[in-house]
Each structure stands twice: as structure tokens, then as C-alpha cells.
Amino acid sequence: MSKTSSIHPCDLCSSRKLSMFSDFTEEQACNISDNKNMISHRKGQMLYYEGAKPLGVFCVNSGVSKIFKTASNGKEQITHLAKNGDLLGYSALLGEENYTNSAMVIEDAKICFIPKETFLKALISNGPFFKRLTKALSHEIGIMEEKLVDASQKSIRERLAYLLLQLANSYGLDGGDHQQIDLVLSREEIASLIGTATESVIRLLSEFKKDKLIELKGKKIVILDKEGLVKLSDFYA
């Protein structure tokens, strides 16, 4: 069950430096703080549903959420994962459209809800914030185009290797040559992220383990050979 936390000023937020609000003045940050609600969410709770009308935006203070679309057959397709500092729901709000995806918490989270009026006022009064948001929207379009190309040209093996590298980069613990991904995703969620069947992910993870690219510790994955995954993913930096 969600619960509203005590007031958490934006200027004291450890995730603010990672967010689009990083360059806000103290006055601008205080205006956001005075009008937002920080809510604690448990794993499995929904932030918003596809087709609903946006009433504001969500800023992740801590925890992880999955953003996904639901196909006509009811199958989920995860488009990305949101972590500390990420802003959710702003593209639908700015486009004055209903949500085109859904968001669910997959790791206990604290998330601030900023009402539409407060968010738009901040957008209009802060040129750098407007520029950063525009850049983020352009980046999202680029990512979507890249995923379309990957889906048609990269093999499932390549996509899984690349996903593991991305997860290690975003959620990896510093452990020298071996890097544990500090995020538990079900095999179904991993399959949804790369657009394949769960059985294929189970088989490929087993093969990656056999090839000493990774190690499986319960539900967590440890990267053993990052360079091997880079070569396998056909990734060019």
C-alpha cells in the first residue's frame, strides 16, 4: 500500500543532481517542494496506466520502475527502466495526450508527484530546464529508432548481451573484474525488455554462464567477462 512520506525538500534531495531539476535555483526548487507529494511505493504497485489522463509528472527519488506497453494479446513489452532522478509521464502531459504506456514499481521506491500546473510553471520560467526537457524528448525518439533497428537486425543473443551491459552500467556494484547487477528482474521481464520468449532468455543465460560470461547468484546476475559481452553484443562505442 502506498503512503505519503514527510515533506522532502528538493534542495536536499540526493537524486536531484541526476534529474532535470539539477540547475534549479533555491527559489524554484522550493516552489516544486511546496507543491509536490513524495509517496513511498512497494514493489508491484502501479504509478499510472496506459490510456489514463496525466495530471502531473513523477520524479524518482529512489527505487526502480518499469515502463511498458500492453499488446492486444495482453503481453507486456517493457520499453525501459526508470531509476533515481528520472522523470516520468512528461511527454504525455506536454502532448496533452493520454499515457501511451504504463509504469509499475519493481523495486521499493520513493517517488515525488508534481502537479501539472506546478510543472508547467517551472517549464515556462526556466530556460535551461525547457532546453533539457526538449533534449530529453529528442533523445527518447532516437532510442526508439535504435530499438526498432536492433529488433530487426540484431539477434536475440546480441540483444541480451547488450541489455546485460546496460544493466551493469546502471545498476552494477563495483566489484573489480566481477560486477554484480544489483537489480532483480524476472526472466519474463528480461525477455520483455529484449522482445523475445522467456524460454529463450533462460536458455541463453545458461549458455552465457557455461561460456563464463556471467555467473548466476540466485536471481541476481554477475558479469564475469564484460569485454566478451561487448564483442557478443556487436556494440560499437
Side-chain angles (χ1 to χ4, degrees):
M1 186 174 187
S2 302
K3 63 177 182 178
T4 303
S5 302
S6 57
I7 295 174
H8 188 79
C10 289
D11 57 347
L12 299 179
C13 177
S14 60
S15 297
R16 181 184 164 197
K17 64 181 180 295
L18 304 173
S19 76
M20 293 191 207
F21 303 111
S22 59
D23 65 349
F24 271 33
T25 64
E26 183 177 347
E27 180 182 354
Q28 290 167 332
C30 286
N31 183 60
I32 295 289
S33 297
D34 292 342
N35 293 281
K36 73 174 187 182
N37 286 317
M38 177 187 275
I39 302 174
S40 296
H41 296 271
R42 301 303 297 264
K43 179 178 179 178
Q45 291 183 322
M46 297 293 298
L47 292 179
Y48 59 80
Y49 291 89
E50 187 173 346
K53 181 179 180 181
L55 300 177
V57 297
F58 301 84
C59 188
V60 182
N61 174 267
S62 64
V64 182
S65 298
K66 65 178 180 181
I67 315 304
F68 64 95
K69 292 183 68 66
T70 304
S72 57
N73 62 2
K75 187 176 180 180
E76 284 184 12
Q77 175 67 59
I78 300 176
T79 58
H80 68 282
L81 301 175
K83 59 184 187 304
N84 298 12
D86 285 353
L87 196 63
L88 304 178
Y90 64 91
S91 56
L93 188 146
L94 292 176
E96 297 184 343
E97 300 175 341
N98 292 343
Y99 291 119
T100 58
N101 51 39
S102 302
M104 174 190 284
V105 174
I106 60 172
E107 183 182 88
D108 289 359
K110 290 183 179 179
I111 298 175
C112 294
F113 176 76
I114 304 169
K116 177 180 179 179
E117 296 75 15
T118 301
F119 178 74
L120 293 179
K121 182 179 179 181
L123 187 64
I124 293 170
S125 64
N126 189 311
F129 179 48
F130 180 86
K131 184 177 180 180
R132 183 177 286 120
L133 202 65
T134 303
K135 185 177 180 180
L137 285 169
S138 298
H139 181 67
E140 283 187 11
I141 294 173
I143 292 295
M144 288 172 60
E145 291 175 342
E146 185 178 315
K147 285 188 174 182
L148 284 173
V149 172
D150 285 350
S152 61
Q153 296 186 5
K154 284 185 178 291
S155 69
I156 297 170
R157 180 183 293 269
E158 289 172 333
R159 297 205 298 269
L160 178 58
Y162 184 52
L163 173 65
L164 293 178
L165 290 170
Q166 288 181 307
L167 292 175
N169 183 56
S170 298
Y171 307 101
L173 297 176
D174 187 10
D177 294 336
H178 298 177
Q179 191 174 34
Q180 178 173 297
I181 298 172
D182 193 32
L183 175 66
V184 175
L185 293 173
S186 68
R187 301 304 184 246
E188 290 82 3
E189 287 169 333
I190 293 175
S192 180
L193 277 164
I194 63 173
T196 190
T198 304
E199 294 75 14
S200 297
V201 166
I202 293 172
R203 175 178 54 80
L204 285 172
L205 287 176
S206 179
E207 290 179 8
F208 284 10
K209 179 182 177 181
K210 182 179 179 181
D211 294 338
K212 300 189 184 305
L213 294 169
I214 65 170
E215 181 181 350
L216 302 176
K217 287 188 175 180
K219 293 184 178 181
K220 291 196 174 182
I221 300 172
V222 180
I223 305 299
L224 299 180
D225 185 358
K226 199 168 188 178
E227 288 303 315
L229 287 175
V230 169
K231 292 177 181 178
L232 185 58
S233 69
D234 194 27
F235 174 65
Y236 302 96

